[in-house]
Amino acid sequence: DAGVIQSPRHEVTEMGQEVTLRCKPISGHNSLFWYRQTMMRGLELLIYFNNNVPIDDSGMPEDRFSAKMPNASFSTLKIQPSEPRDSAVYFCASSLAAGQPQHFGDGTRLSIL
Amino acid sequence: GQQLNQSPQSMFIQEGEDVSMNCTSSSIFNTWLWYKQDPGEGPVLLIALYKAGELTSNGRLTAQFGITRKDSFLNISASIPSDVGIYFCAGQDGGANSKLTFGKGITLSVRP
């Protein structure tokens, strides 16, 4: 069975550039989550969607961050403009329904120079 | 805000030994989960616990949901080298609230 699929796996770009991270949740899962992982702060929830609708975006650090879920099988997390402090591993996770266990993708390792 | 505490940050054991990891919270959770993360990969769900006092096993892993709803532990028996990784606990309020709060993780090293 295909798990959560994220792309790209690695991204290196210069500060000021726009970055777009992509996620395909597990088929049939109705909830999708974006996390950021750093050594200092661990795993932090940025935003999550239920049935393609954003439910809680209180973890989104700044207006430079935005997320969309145009359909049940695709979501994007965009950073514009990017800054060096955005460097982290970004994970997408999905769950069958609200409150069910979350299953993670392998992440995108983002480096902003 | 809600916080989960995992300590120590690192554990070193000999292959074949059992190990226990604890996770405590400043507030109540209705669901507890344990994840393992290998280098370069995402966290993988090991065990999910839904009821206070629940004891659940998955192979050599056993986890319990504390009766106060503020703690959980994970036991690994007869450790093997592939048990190496970072173990995270996570708490969830449950119901329609899907937010997970993660601990900082414990890095487990297993000496052959």
Side-chain angles (χ1 to χ4, degrees):
Chain A
D1 290 341
V4 175
I5 299 172
Q6 292 187 245
S7 64
R9 289 296 313 275
H10 303 273
E11 174 99 12
V12 180
T13 192
E14 293 185 345
M15 64 177 294
Q17 297 297 308
E18 178 179 290
V19 172
T20 299
L21 310 181
R22 296 172 176 80
C23 175
K24 176 178 168 56
I26 294 172
S27 178
H29 280 198
N30 293 329
S31 298
L32 183 141
F33 308 81
W34 282 101
Y35 289 87
R36 179 171 66 178
Q37 186 178 39
T38 61
M39 288 292 292
M40 289 295 295
R41 301 173 68 92
L43 269 164
E44 301 174 283
L45 178 67
L46 301 177
I47 184 172
Y48 79 91
F49 298 81
N50 278 348
N51 297 311
N52 313 339
V53 176
I55 302 300
D56 186 338
D57 65 355
S58 59
M60 296 286 261
E62 303 172 29
D63 291 346
R64 298 184 295 106
F65 285 69
S66 63
K68 294 182 179 179
M69 192 165 185
N71 57 63
S73 59
F74 184 66
S75 177
T76 59
L77 177 67
K78 190 170 292 187
I79 308 172
Q80 166 63 21
S82 57
E83 297 182 4
R85 60 194 169 114
D86 301 332
S87 298
V89 182
Y90 290 81
F91 287 103
C92 177
S94 71
S95 66
L96 192 60
Q100 294 296 305
Q102 297 173 26
H103 299 269
F104 285 75
D106 283 336
T108 295
R109 183 172 294 276
L110 178 65
S111 297
I112 308 297
L113 307 177
Chain B
Q2 295 173 319
Q3 289 185 333
L4 291 185
N5 299 306
Q6 289 186 263
S7 65
Q9 193 172 4
S10 301
M11 299 181 77
F12 299 86
I13 61 173
Q14 198 75 33
E15 182 178 359
E17 289 182 342
D18 300 345
V19 62
S20 183
M21 304 177 189
N22 199 35
C23 183
T24 59
S25 169
S26 57
S27 55
I28 289 172
F29 288 104
N30 291 317
T31 300
W32 284 86
L33 304 108
W34 285 91
Y35 287 85
K36 181 186 179 225
Q37 186 175 23
D38 291 329
E41 298 182 10
V44 173
L45 181 66
L46 298 174
I47 291 179
L49 303 157
Y50 300 101
K51 293 182 181 179
E54 179 181 356
L55 185 71
T56 297
S57 294
N58 178 7
R60 294 180 295 106
L61 307 178
T62 301
Q64 185 158 29
F65 188 150
I67 58 173
T68 66
R69 297 179 178 269
K70 290 186 176 182
D71 65 327
S72 176
F73 72 76
L74 175 72
N75 282 344
I76 305 173
S77 62
S79 60
I80 59 178
S82 62
D83 290 333
V84 165
I86 305 175
Y87 290 81
F88 293 96
C89 62
Q92 192 170 42
D93 288 337
N97 187 343
S98 296
K99 293 179 71 169
L100 279 180
T101 301
F102 279 87
K104 290 291 180 67
I106 294 175
T107 299
L108 179 66
S109 298
V110 179
R111 290 188 290 264

